Amino acid sequence: DVQMTQSPSSLSASVGDRVTITCRASQSISRYLNWYQQKPGKAPRLLIYATSNLQSGVPSRFSGSGSGTDFSLTISRLQPEDIATYYCQQSHGTFGGGTKVEIK
Amino acid sequence: QVQLQQSGPGLVRPSQTLSIACVISGDSVSSNSAAWNWIRQSPSRGLEWLGRTYFRSKWYSEYAESLKSRIIINADSSKNQFSLQLSSVTPEDTAVYYCARDDFTSGATLDYWGQGTLVTVSS
């Protein structure tokens, strides 16, 4: 199985900061990488699919990049409503361990 | 607007079979441009993709390798729903179970989710 490793596991940033979360696959997954946001007690929400495609309704401050084994999710200007845990996932496969984003 | 509504028991005895259904509104389980997934989440295992089913002239199912011997995902077109069956459960299978859709038209994966069902495996 492909292993997905996210870093950091948690971060604290100020409103308006640029935030980047990375995800590394144990072997190449081409561009089959998705990002989800999860708030407590809720189902995950799709943000980005196939590495860089913004899901409908997701604010443009979210963006994704990468290919092969190294990927990243960037929030250009952190907002209070972005407080959540973020997960990467190889399409129809393993999820990363999550990155908890908090406001400083 | 696609909506997925889950139903199933919250408590399952060890060695028994866990069964959860997901009723679809706003789309068709037999759609040629969708696939229907099950995912679970627990503190010990995190998020885990379990498998999916889809219709392309006939029904197909794909499963996570680790569960292939115990899992069945199938669909009921008459009820516009799909279901998860996981046999021989142990306390390790205690988790919140979610259903979710893949949209092949846009390429989006897991774009709509059910509300989640907490299943506890305990005697």
Side-chain angles (χ1 to χ4, degrees):
Chain A
D1 284 358
V2 179
Q3 302 304 311
M4 307 299 294
T5 304
Q6 278 183 244
S7 61
S9 56
S10 66
L11 66 89
S12 182
S14 300
V15 172
D17 281 356
R18 182 181 182 87
V19 169
T20 298
I21 299 167
T22 64
C23 181
R24 174 163 287 176
S26 59
Q27 63 191 68
S28 176
I29 58 171
S30 185
R31 291 176 60 84
Y32 295 110
L33 190 283
N34 313 303
W35 291 97
Y36 302 88
Q37 175 194 66
Q38 187 177 33
K39 297 184 177 180
K42 300 291 188 181
R45 171 198 181 196
L46 177 65
L47 298 177
I48 303 278
Y49 62 94
T51 297
S52 58
N53 294 278
L54 194 68
Q55 172 65 355
S56 175
V58 174
S60 59
R61 63 180 179 274
F62 290 92
S63 63
S65 65
S67 68
T69 60
D70 293 312
F71 302 86
S72 63
L73 172 71
T74 298
I75 309 172
S76 59
R77 284 179 294 277
L78 187 68
Q79 300 299 303
E81 60 267 31
D82 300 335
I83 301 314
T85 301
Y86 294 82
Y87 296 93
C88 64
Q89 186 220 9
Q90 175 204 10
S91 293
H92 311 116
T94 314
F95 287 83
T99 297
K100 188 173 184 179
V101 174
E102 298 175 323
I103 294 286
K104 192 180 293 183
Chain B
Q1 178 78 347
V2 176
Q3 291 187 320
L4 305 177
Q5 182 68 38
Q6 299 176 218
S7 62
L11 179 65
V12 181
R13 304 300 181 192
S15 80
Q16 300 300 304
T17 296
L18 176 162
S19 295
I20 309 173
C22 183
V23 177
I24 303 160
S25 56
D27 201 347
S28 170
V29 73
S30 303
S31 168
N32 278 298
S33 60
W36 306 97
N37 297 259
W38 287 99
I39 303 100
R40 68 182 178 182
Q41 185 173 29
S42 66
S44 59
R45 303 170 74 92
L47 282 164
E48 184 179 10
W49 178 79
L50 305 181
R52 66 176 181 167
T53 190
Y54 53 93
F55 185 77
R56 300 291 183 269
S57 302
K58 67 175 186 177
W59 286 102
Y60 295 86
S61 294
E62 299 170 354
Y63 303 123
E65 196 66 36
S66 61
L67 294 172
K68 271 187 175 177
S69 63
R70 299 197 291 133
I71 188 172
I72 296 174
I73 297 174
N74 53 26
D76 185 338
S77 300
S78 67
K79 297 180 179 178
N80 204 31
Q81 69 179 38
F82 63 109
S83 61
L84 166 70
Q85 293 180 67
L86 187 64
S87 62
S88 304
V89 297
T90 72
E92 280 280 295
D93 295 309
T94 294
V96 177
Y97 287 76
Y98 295 101
C99 59
R101 185 190 80 159
D102 292 337
D103 176 15
F104 282 82
T105 303
S106 67
T109 58
L110 307 179
D111 63 344
Y112 286 95
W113 293 64
Q115 80 276 21
T117 300
L118 173 60
V119 177
T120 301
V121 179
S122 175
S123 55

